[in-house]
Amino acid sequence: MNINIYYGGRGLIEDPTLYVLGKIEGVLNELRVNVVRYNLYEMKSTIPTLPQTLKDADAIILAASVEWRGIGGYMQEFLDSCWLYGDKDKISKLYMCPVVISTTYGEKEALTDLKNAWELLGGMPCSGVCAYVNESVDFEMNHEYADIIEKKAENLYRTVSQRRKALPSSSYAIKQNIMKESLDLTPQETEQLSKYASDDYYVKQQKEDIEELAKLFKGMLNQQESDEDEFIKAINNVFHAQDDFSATYAFIIGDMDKTLFIRVDGAELVCKYEDVTDVDVLSKLSSEVLSNIVKGRYTFQRAFMTGEMTAKGNFKTLRMLDMIFPFSS
């Protein structure tokens, strides 16, 4: 029989969880069980590969130390890795004995979290050890507590050796529904993914690629913002007021997903980006066409006649655009 222990504490000498694990290991060794312990705090960068170690196990012990709240980051990362990279068929045949020792509060909640997590993974949780420890020395010197822990270890051995069945749980049904949405990967594929996840160079390279893409998109965004400023600046610079003329225009710039609003009232000009469609002339064009217009390459009238700009409204007011804004002169 093979039983793996995954310890999620920080490895502190005064951690009472280590005392409990020592007692359990002693009993299992006497019963000639092959016990392997994995200290997660020593394997920070390789935690994603640990689900591979479940393959040869008949049962596992998940040991968490509650120092202030919950099961801790290392244990959570291990469970996440089991969900992402673990062989679900193998996990469904694995018994899990939770060991949760608290020095503050919340050992029962943490025990429930471990059981629920293992059930969602498809595994079989069994009776574990749950305790609050105020003084480590008093706890370790108490022979009655030691007897309880040893009996829990013996019960684990009997449960695994006899392959005891568990009553059905709603968590299994939930897990089945969730798994329908997940990727159907082979054990080899999940193993490869877990290796990638624990490969510091690969992860670093991925982060660098993401940063490079972020810079690229940021540059594109800055270019777009630059174009937006250029349009408003050019329109304000070239504005040529017409006596007794007032009108409103809206240019929907499709590729920028913005609307450029212009209001002319004699010598007064308002030019800004605003979602307004109730205007005298409503036009649609691309940022490239508008850029060509403000750079004087061709006029509003030419853009309209060639179909590069569409417009509806008062066409006399539309023709006034080239007089108010003589970019090509």
Side-chain angles (χ1 to χ4, degrees):
M1 183 187 299
N2 298 313
I3 295 181
N4 292 350
I5 298 176
Y6 299 90
Y7 168 64
R10 294 188 294 149
L12 303 178
I13 296 175
E14 64 270 20
D15 186 355
T17 307
L18 293 173
Y19 164 75
V20 174
L21 291 179
K23 283 290 182 183
I24 293 174
E25 286 184 61
V27 173
L28 294 177
N29 287 330
E30 289 179 6
L31 295 170
R32 297 187 179 181
V33 175
N34 181 37
V35 180
V36 180
R37 186 197 295 189
Y38 297 92
N39 295 322
L40 302 184
Y41 69 92
E42 296 176 343
M43 313 176 74
K44 299 175 186 178
S45 63
T46 57
I47 288 178
T49 65
L50 288 181
Q52 300 172 39
T53 62
L54 300 174
K55 294 178 180 179
D56 299 323
D58 298 296
I60 68 168
I61 295 173
L62 297 183
S65 301
V66 180
E67 296 182 11
W68 76 284
R69 184 177 183 277
I71 60 176
Y74 297 139
M75 183 59 69
Q76 185 62 58
E77 186 177 353
F78 172 70
L79 290 170
D80 288 344
S81 297
C82 288
W83 175 259
L84 294 170
Y85 312 119
D87 184 343
K88 302 303 188 299
D89 183 59
K90 174 60 182 177
I91 292 175
S92 68
K93 301 179 179 65
L94 275 179
Y95 292 94
M96 187 279 293
C97 173
V99 173
V100 179
I101 307 299
S102 169
T103 55
T104 53
Y105 171 80
E107 68 280 357
K108 292 183 180 179
E109 290 81 0
L111 184 80
T112 302
D113 284 346
L114 285 179
K115 286 188 173 182
N116 289 342
W118 198 248
E119 284 186 340
L120 279 175
L121 285 167
M124 299 174 289
C126 52
S127 178
V129 179
C130 180
Y132 163 73
V133 175
N134 185 28
E135 291 292 339
S136 297
V137 176
D138 294 341
F139 180 74
E140 294 174 13
M141 295 298 291
N142 192 308
H143 297 295
E144 292 180 352
Y145 293 161
D147 289 339
I148 294 173
I149 296 169
E150 290 173 355
K151 287 178 181 177
K152 290 285 188 178
E154 293 170 1
N155 187 55
L156 171 62
Y157 175 80
R158 283 191 287 269
T159 299
V160 178
S161 60
Q162 296 171 15
R163 302 301 300 176
R164 292 179 181 175
K165 298 293 182 182
L167 292 172
S169 167
S170 60
S171 297
Y172 179 77
I174 294 173
K175 177 252 181 185
Q176 291 297 100
N177 291 330
I178 294 174
M179 286 302 294
K180 290 177 182 177
E181 304 297 327
S182 62
L183 293 174
D184 185 17
L185 302 176
T186 66
Q188 291 77 15
E189 289 171 330
T190 57
E191 181 175 344
Q192 190 64 42
L193 280 173
S194 66
K195 287 180 179 178
Y196 281 142
S198 64
D199 187 331
D200 290 339
Y201 174 78
Y202 177 80
V203 173
K204 182 181 178 182
Q205 187 64 46
Q206 291 297 301
K207 288 181 179 179
E208 290 175 354
D209 290 344
I210 292 172
E211 288 176 1
E212 187 176 342
L213 284 172
K215 289 179 181 178
L216 174 63
F217 286 120
K218 185 177 180 180
M220 294 171 64
L221 181 61
N222 290 338
Q223 180 61 44
Q224 179 174 316
E225 291 175 350
S226 176
D227 290 343
E228 294 174 5
D229 295 338
E230 177 191 347
F231 295 150
I232 293 177
K233 184 178 179 180
I235 289 170
N236 280 297
N237 288 341
V238 81
F239 176 56
H240 184 68
Q242 302 292 314
D243 295 336
D244 301 322
F245 176 77
S246 62
T248 54
Y249 301 88
F251 297 92
I252 300 174
I253 309 172
D255 54 331
M256 290 172 54
D257 196 25
K258 284 184 175 292
T259 300
L260 180 61
F261 170 70
I262 298 176
R263 180 169 61 83
V264 177
D265 188 2
E268 182 183 351
L269 170 66
V270 175
C271 181
K272 61 182 178 179
Y273 290 99
E274 186 177 347
D275 289 331
V276 177
T277 55
D278 186 15
V279 291
D280 296 323
V281 176
L282 180 64
S283 303
K284 291 184 180 180
L285 73 175
S286 68
S287 60
E288 182 181 359
V289 173
L290 185 56
S291 178
N292 285 330
I293 292 173
V294 300
K295 290 176 181 177
R297 292 171 183 166
Y298 44 78
T299 63
F300 284 104
Q301 187 66 22
R302 177 186 168 185
F304 175 69
M305 295 301 293
T306 58
E308 293 182 274
M309 180 182 79
T310 61
K312 64 179 181 179
N314 190 317
F315 288 100
K316 182 179 179 181
T317 304
L318 172 63
R319 288 195 294 271
M320 287 294 294
L321 276 170
D322 290 319
M323 296 180 65
I324 304 169
F325 307 108
F327 293 107
S328 58
S329 59

